[in-house]
Amino acid sequence: MSEAIASKAERLAAYNANIAAAEKDPSLSPETGKPLSKVNTMRFGAGFLAFGILWMSGLGIVSAVLLPMHYKTIQGADPDALVGIVNAFTAVASLVANLMFGNFSDRSRSRFGRRTPWIVFGAILGGVTLFLTGTTHNAVLLTIFYCACMFGLNCMIAPLVAILSDRVPSGIRGTMSAFYGAGSTIGAPIGTMIGAYFIENLTTGFAVAGVLMFLGGIVAVIIIPKEQSADFLPKDEGSAKDILASFRPPKFSGAHDFYKAFAGRFCMLMSYQMINVYQLYIIQNYIGQSVKQSAVTVSVVSMIMMVMSLVGSFISGPVSDIIGRRKVPVIVASVLFAVGIAMPWLIPSTLGMYLFAGIAGLGYAVYSAVDQALLVDVLPSKEEAGKDLGILNMATTLGQMCGPVVMSAIVVSLGYNFAFPTAIALAIIGCFFIMIIKKVK
């Protein structure tokens, strides 16, 4: 046996020993078998935070403000209907991309690590195509660019979230999840505020959005401690049939909690996004404000959500680690979802939107801070963490994309007074699925 082969064998043995040690001791990293230093803990937290802020800001600029306005410039298309059509296609793209890139990163054996190359590639693809989405007035081409952006985004998200399982001690996953959750919940209102600023200068706004999306992956890779080489891991010599088989989700018989978590996340994200992504149309069409008035309201709503995001995210994650519970904060968050969504329905005014921002924004912050840690805790296999987290995160992207589709269909056919109760019901159903999870407290 050559020295190089022996070295790889020794590294593989150490790799397996580190994982085994981390499963027994929640303070140890699965990557090194040792506790994280304070510096590296801060770097992981900062990396997750920056990633969430940047990509969500970029997407928020487009999805919440610029894209709904851009739809109005496309001749021969009903903006309300176009929201649903485009989001239907991007939902499918997100579903495929999350599973695909999570699995590909599991199988990667790069000297730069399993996750890092995919994150960088996703940053480039997502940033470029998000900008291109705003450069065309052809509905078909717009849909293609936006779908490509979802491929790039999920090419970043699936591998980066898998880092929670690969490299972060289980004892601080709630806190690290909180940094990622805080980033995404802070990023959404920041993006909406930036979008409101560019509401009459769409092309520049799309360019800014693309740059932020690109920086999300690049900055995260720079800040997070360098990933170890994966060139020592056994290469998969399977056939094309075996590779296709590897995309299969876990068997339901042995992963009940996994699918309960998926259903709960999907329902809650769908309910929230029905209102959040549609808020510009709610303000303009349901409440009755002009374009300039709605820009002011959107900005204030975003400010409120950003403040609530800071409060909810940075408290709930560490508290979850301290009390050793994931379900309780997520259940509380889903109840806040339902209450917040009811506000603009019961009070169709600027005040109703502000109450939505405060109550549902707090719920979303608490939810985002803790739920990612809950998902890691219900994984049936550590070896397939990227693929399985990709499946679970499909619930996020699918919920985010299906929410506007359902909202669009209900608004077009039945009106806003039927849409709000539907969103509330989905939040309650999501709460139920989380409550019946058994593996996690």
Side-chain angles (χ1 to χ4, degrees), residues 4-347:
I5 296 175
S7 176
K8 285 188 176 183
E10 290 171 358
R11 290 162 66 195
L12 179 60
Y15 168 83
N16 291 327
N18 293 340
I19 292 176
E23 289 177 351
K24 295 178 181 179
D25 186 343
S27 69
L28 302 182
S29 165
E31 182 181 37
T32 63
K34 301 176 182 178
L36 287 181
S37 68
K38 290 184 178 180
V39 171
N40 281 344
T41 301
M42 292 174 62
R43 290 181 65 183
F44 273 113
F48 284 124
L49 180 67
F51 177 68
I53 291 174
L54 289 167
W55 82 256
M56 196 63 184
S57 294
L59 188 63
I61 290 172
V62 172
S63 64
V65 183
L66 299 190
L67 202 53
M69 292 300 298
H70 190 49
Y71 289 149
K72 294 182 178 182
T73 69
I74 298 177
Q75 294 183 352
D78 179 352
D80 284 311
L82 199 56
V83 169
I85 294 170
V86 173
N87 279 281
F89 280 99
T90 53
V92 174
S94 297
L95 183 141
V96 173
N98 226 317
L99 177 60
M100 183 172 71
F101 292 116
N103 192 7
F104 285 171
S105 69
D106 281 341
R107 303 168 75 87
S108 294
R109 300 296 182 260
S110 165
R111 66 187 181 90
F112 299 105
R114 290 192 294 170
R115 316 300 183 186
T116 301
W118 295 103
I119 296 170
V120 173
F121 172 70
I124 297 170
L125 178 62
V128 171
T129 52
L130 187 61
F131 164 67
L132 292 176
T133 301
T135 63
T136 179
H137 294 277
N138 181 291
V140 174
L141 195 56
L142 181 152
T143 304
I144 292 172
F145 284 142
Y146 206 31
C147 286
C149 177
M150 293 304 105
F151 265 82
L153 174 59
N154 287 288
C155 186
M156 290 191 289
I157 291 177
L160 197 134
V161 170
I163 290 174
L164 278 172
S165 176
D166 292 346
R167 308 176 64 191
V168 175
S170 61
I172 61 169
R173 279 182 191 147
T175 301
M176 291 300 110
S177 174
F179 277 107
Y180 174 63
S184 59
T185 51
I186 293 168
I190 289 175
T192 305
M193 283 189 289
I194 297 173
Y197 180 79
F198 289 107
I199 199 168
E200 295 180 342
N201 191 1
L202 300 184
T203 302
T204 303
F206 274 98
V208 172
V211 170
L212 289 173
M213 177 76 75
F214 167 76
L215 290 175
I218 302 302
V219 171
V221 166
I222 292 172
I223 295 176
I224 289 175
K226 184 179 179 181
E227 185 180 6
Q228 294 181 2
S229 171
D231 62 357
F232 65 90
L233 294 174
K235 292 184 179 180
D236 193 337
E237 304 295 343
S239 63
K241 183 178 179 181
D242 294 329
I243 294 173
L244 290 174
S246 71
F247 283 93
R248 289 181 302 190
K251 291 183 178 179
F252 181 78
S253 59
H256 290 172
D257 286 339
F258 177 88
Y259 288 103
K260 292 171 189 174
F262 182 97
R265 189 178 183 91
F266 172 72
C267 289
M268 287 192 283
L269 262 294
M270 188 173 173
S271 72
Y272 181 74
Q273 291 300 322
M274 282 180 69
I275 310 303
N276 189 54
V277 173
Y278 230 78
Q279 64 177 286
L280 185 66
Y281 288 164
I282 291 171
I283 293 168
Q284 292 180 354
N285 302 335
Y286 183 65
I287 295 176
Q289 293 187 352
S290 67
V291 172
K292 289 189 176 181
Q293 288 174 327
S294 66
V296 175
T297 301
V298 165
S299 296
V300 176
V301 165
S302 300
M303 285 292 294
I304 295 171
M305 294 187 78
M306 184 169 64
V307 172
M308 300 312 295
S309 296
L310 286 168
V311 173
S313 298
F314 288 117
I315 292 176
S316 55
V319 168
S320 174
D321 281 338
I322 292 170
I323 66 176
R325 292 181 180 271
R326 310 295 190 206
K327 287 167 57 175
V328 173
V330 175
I331 291 169
V332 170
S334 65
V335 173
L336 289 172
F337 269 16
V339 174
I341 289 168
M343 293 298 101
W345 177 41
L346 299 174
I347 310 172

